[in-house]
Amino acid sequence: MTRQEKDQLVDDLSGSLKETNIIYLADTADLDAETTTALRRECYVQVVKNTLLKRAMEKTEEKEFAELYDLLKGPTAIMISGTANAPAKVIKKFRAKNQKPILKGAYIDEGIYVGDDQIEALANLKSKEELIGDIILLLQSPAKNVISALQSGKNTLGGLIRTLEERAT
């Protein structure tokens, strides 16, 4: 790889790192071609040289990746996603049948998670869409209760008025 190609790759990686807030670093070494292909179908996976990835991280001034630098040893694959828990769920799914991928670390919305022991916590994170859905349900619940009470009260009041009218006659 020429110097220009390396510089171009660093620029491309830096651009990808700027555009996303969810980056997982994993060890995918020793996975066979079929498993690697299946993993790439599930989420975006790119294997890069650690030195080039570190240069791209250093070049991305908007985000602080310093805590992840020590993890850049051995084979490293980058998993980029739009949903915080998606790569963790993919890793868990593949770990049911394989020893790897192993989570080295993750950068999620300015938070750094280091180590494979974080996989369970990351898989249980709710996505932005799930959180919005929960908030909408919470906001709708009181309104539904009020409407329900008003509607049941209408029937009760109507029945009460009819009964009083029948007694009066």
Side-chain angles (χ1 to χ4, degrees):
M1 185 179 273
T2 67
R3 179 80 170 151
Q4 288 178 331
E5 291 172 332
K6 288 180 182 179
D7 288 342
Q8 183 60 45
L9 181 60
V10 168
D11 289 342
D12 292 346
L13 278 171
S14 179
S16 294
L17 295 175
K18 284 178 189 174
E19 291 174 10
T20 187
N21 285 326
I22 301 157
I23 302 155
Y24 282 65
L25 302 178
D27 179 358
T28 58
D30 303 328
L31 288 179
D32 60 23
E34 183 179 326
T35 307
T36 303
T37 302
L39 181 63
R40 288 183 180 190
R41 279 190 204 124
E42 293 284 332
C43 93
Y44 175 79
V45 177
Q46 182 179 6
V47 178
V48 295
K49 290 188 173 218
N50 291 325
T51 54
L52 297 178
L53 179 56
K54 184 175 180 182
R55 283 179 37 202
M57 287 177 163
E58 289 170 342
K59 190 173 182 176
T60 308
E61 297 171 359
E62 296 86 2
K63 298 177 182 169
E64 183 58 45
F65 295 112
E67 290 181 56
L68 297 175
Y69 296 161
D70 292 339
L71 306 176
L72 300 177
K73 295 177 181 141
T76 302
I78 303 172
M79 302 172 86
I80 295 176
S81 176
T83 307
N85 61 359
K89 287 181 178 181
V90 169
I91 290 172
K92 277 184 68 172
K93 175 182 169 186
F94 277 82
R95 293 272 289 279
K97 297 178 184 175
N98 304 294
Q99 294 287 326
K100 299 213 176 167
I102 295 174
L103 178 68
K104 289 182 169 189
Y107 175 92
I108 300 173
D109 295 323
E110 299 180 11
I112 304 277
Y113 301 86
V114 176
D116 195 54
D117 58 332
Q118 299 291 320
I119 197 75
E120 195 65 39
L122 292 171
N124 292 330
L125 283 177
K126 289 194 175 194
S127 69
K128 181 179 178 180
E129 291 78 18
E130 290 170 328
L131 288 173
I132 290 171
D134 288 350
I135 290 170
I136 289 171
L137 283 174
L138 288 172
L139 292 174
Q140 285 180 341
S141 181
K144 286 181 180 179
N145 290 341
V146 168
I147 290 170
S148 176
L150 290 174
Q151 287 177 339
S152 68
K154 173 182 74 174
N155 295 334
T156 306
L157 286 175
L160 181 61
I161 291 171
R162 270 187 250 121
T163 305
L164 290 173
E165 284 178 354
E166 290 173 1
R167 284 188 185 169
T169 52

